């Protein structure tokens, strides 16, 4: 899978954004996928993950209830709906895919990465 992210931008605190990840090279219906973010000086961290069948998802406590990951298998696109955004959500957001079908929270388990899209939340 070759992911390409879009949808980042500048938003005020409390606002919403939807990130998209257009995939090519393989159907995402057979791939576990994830969204990660990395802020300056910090490690890359998972913000959402989904297994290949869409039956299981994972969110860290920092975004639970505010972020939603979803797949559109017909269009081979992964989404991240983000709401109630906070300044601490500001980061470069990356879409990633696994060749394995199982969900993972670890960046090291992902095989293919997009180039990232910047999300900035102003206070």
């Amino acid at each position: 899978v070759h992911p390409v992210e879009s949808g980042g931008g500048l938003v005020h605190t409390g606002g919403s954004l939807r990130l998209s990840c257009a995939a090519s090279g393989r159907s995402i219906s057979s791939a576990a996928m994830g969204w990660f973010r990395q802020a300056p000086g910090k490690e890359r961290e998972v913000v959402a993950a989904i297994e290949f069948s869409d039956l299981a998802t994972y969110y860290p406590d920092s975004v639970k209830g505010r972020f939603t990951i979803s797949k559109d298998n017909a269009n081979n696109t992964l989404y991240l709906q983000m709401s109630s955004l906070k300044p601490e959500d500001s980061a470069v957001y990356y879409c990633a895919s696994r060749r394995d079908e199982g969900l993972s929270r670890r960046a090291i388990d992902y095989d293919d990465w997009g180039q990232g899209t910047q999300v900035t939340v102003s206070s």
Side-chain angles (χ1 to χ4, degrees), residues 25-115:
R26 177 188 171 196
S27 172
I28 65 170
S29 63
S30 59
M33 307 283 294
W35 285 98
F36 290 76
R37 68 185 179 190
Q38 188 166 21
K42 295 189 176 181
E43 291 188 357
R44 191 167 296 191
E45 62 175 353
V46 66
V47 295
I50 188 167
E51 69 164 7
F52 83 101
S53 67
D54 303 355
L55 293 178
T57 57
Y58 167 78
Y59 304 94
D61 289 344
S62 58
V63 307
K64 196 174 293 182
R66 301 189 297 121
F67 290 12
T68 303
I69 189 171
S70 62
K71 284 187 186 179
D72 179 349
N73 291 331
N75 291 301
N76 222 37
T77 301
L78 182 74
Y79 296 103
L80 183 69
Q81 179 68 48
M82 305 185 293
S83 60
S84 301
L85 284 163
K86 307 174 182 179
E88 52 263 43
D89 294 319
S90 297
V92 177
Y93 283 69
Y94 298 91
C95 170
S97 68
R98 300 191 69 200
R99 295 183 191 133
D100 192 273
E101 297 176 341
L103 181 155
S104 176
R105 312 171 185 180
R106 307 189 311 164
I108 195 172
D109 290 335
Y110 287 78
D111 304 291
D112 300 297
W113 292 82
Q115 81 289 350

